[in-house]
């Protein structure tokens, strides 16, 4: 499984557009036990990414992702900016100097992003954060890749895994972020970050087989 620069752009653009399109949904989820700014912050940051899309340096995939990371960190407010920016920056480091990505590269980028989020947010799986969707999703991707799955199959499995994992955060008690202050009241609603990961993958999966290809 080899992914082109076009594929990387397609993924990033899908993330950005999904964040903008789901501003209200993500905000409503966050307002249950958080401060309600997650949807707004994410949308405002990724609006800038879309507006400046053609200006980003595309010397290689790593450089492109690094520029996206800088834009996200500087434009997204609250805790989301550093967290999402760190994820892109760590992924960019793995992709440095590359014009194409193997399946192993993608897995390594996801693991790097996860490690960055853990360090930046002082969080881990089970704390009711986006990690509770991102980690199981990455494990599913790695397993399907090892089994020889096609990229279409891998993206579909990633979406299914992310949704199942995001739904499972309903029963968790938040241990990080503003929601953690609500204690047991945080049980009963899903984590907005985990849901965002699921919604992004659910947007990506059906579009992936017909994504723009290099001519």
């Amino acid at each position: 499984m080899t992914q082109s620069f076009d594929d990387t752009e397609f993924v990033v653009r899908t993330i950005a557009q999904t964040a903008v399109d789901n501003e209200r949904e993500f905000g409503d989820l966050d307002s249950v036990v958080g401060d309600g700014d997650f949807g707004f912050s994410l949308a405002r940051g990724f609006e800038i990414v879309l507006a400046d899309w053609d200006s980003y340096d595309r010397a290689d995939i790593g450089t492109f992702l690094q520029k996206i990371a800088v834009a996200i960190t500087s434009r997204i407010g609250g805790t989301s900016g550093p967290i999402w920016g760190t994820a892109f920056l760590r992924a960019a480091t793995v992709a440095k100097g590359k014009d194409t990505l193997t399946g192993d590269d993608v897995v390594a980028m996801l693991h790097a992003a996860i490690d960055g989020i853990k360090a930046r947010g002082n969080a881990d799986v089970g704390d009711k954060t986006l990690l509770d969707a991102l980690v199981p999703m990455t494990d599913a991707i790695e397993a399907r890749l090892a089994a020889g799955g096609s990229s279409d199959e891998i993206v579909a499995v990633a979406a299914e895994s992310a949704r199942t994992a995001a739904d499972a955060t309903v029963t968790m008690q938040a241990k990080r972020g503003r929601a953690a202050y609500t204690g047991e009241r945080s049980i009963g609603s899903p984590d907005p970050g985990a849901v965002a990961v699921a919604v992004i993958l659910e947007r990506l999966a059906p579009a992936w087989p017909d994504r723009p290809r290099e001519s």
Side-chain angles (χ1 to χ4, degrees):
M1 185 184 91
T2 302
Q3 306 304 308
S4 68
F5 208 129
D6 283 354
D7 292 337
T8 301
E9 288 194 27
F10 184 74
V11 171
V12 174
R13 196 173 186 95
T14 300
I15 292 171
Q17 193 63 57
T18 305
V20 171
D21 292 346
N22 290 272
E23 175 182 350
R24 182 171 180 177
E25 177 190 351
F26 295 161
D28 288 348
L29 283 172
D30 191 37
S31 67
V32 176
V33 291
D35 50 20
D37 71 342
F38 174 65
F40 178 84
S41 298
L42 212 61
R44 295 295 80 76
F46 279 111
E47 271 181 351
I48 299 297
V49 169
L50 293 172
D52 295 345
W53 186 255
D54 293 335
S55 70
Y56 294 119
D57 189 340
R58 287 165 167 79
D60 57 71
I61 292 174
T63 299
F64 172 66
L65 293 177
Q66 184 179 21
K67 298 302 182 184
I68 299 291
V70 170
I72 291 171
T73 303
S74 63
R75 298 290 186 172
I76 298 179
T79 57
S80 297
I83 293 296
W84 288 69
T86 295
F88 272 87
L89 191 60
R90 292 294 186 92
T93 301
V94 176
K96 187 174 177 61
K98 298 179 184 291
D99 291 319
T100 59
L101 300 171
T102 65
D104 289 338
D105 287 333
V106 173
V107 169
M109 289 165 69
L110 287 167
H111 279 302
I114 287 166
D115 289 343
I117 292 169
K118 286 180 176 180
R120 189 75 193 220
N122 191 27
D124 209 335
V125 176
D127 288 344
K128 195 165 187 171
T129 70
L130 78 166
L131 289 170
D132 289 300
L134 197 57
V135 171
M137 181 198 80
T138 300
D139 291 343
I141 289 172
E142 193 166 13
R144 185 52 62 99
L145 180 66
S150 68
S151 66
D152 291 357
E153 293 170 343
I154 289 169
V155 176
V157 164
E160 293 171 7
S161 174
R163 172 51 64 185
T164 299
D167 289 347
T169 64
V170 170
T171 61
M172 296 179 180
Q173 180 173 328
K175 299 177 183 176
R176 293 291 179 269
R178 185 66 61 88
Y181 296 114
T182 66
E184 292 186 357
R185 281 207 305 115
S186 63
I187 300 172
S189 61
D191 175 69
V195 171
V197 172
V199 172
I200 287 166
L201 265 295
E202 287 171 340
R203 172 78 71 92
L204 185 65
W208 184 254
D210 298 319
R211 68 195 183 281
R213 311 293 180 100
E214 290 181 315
S215 55

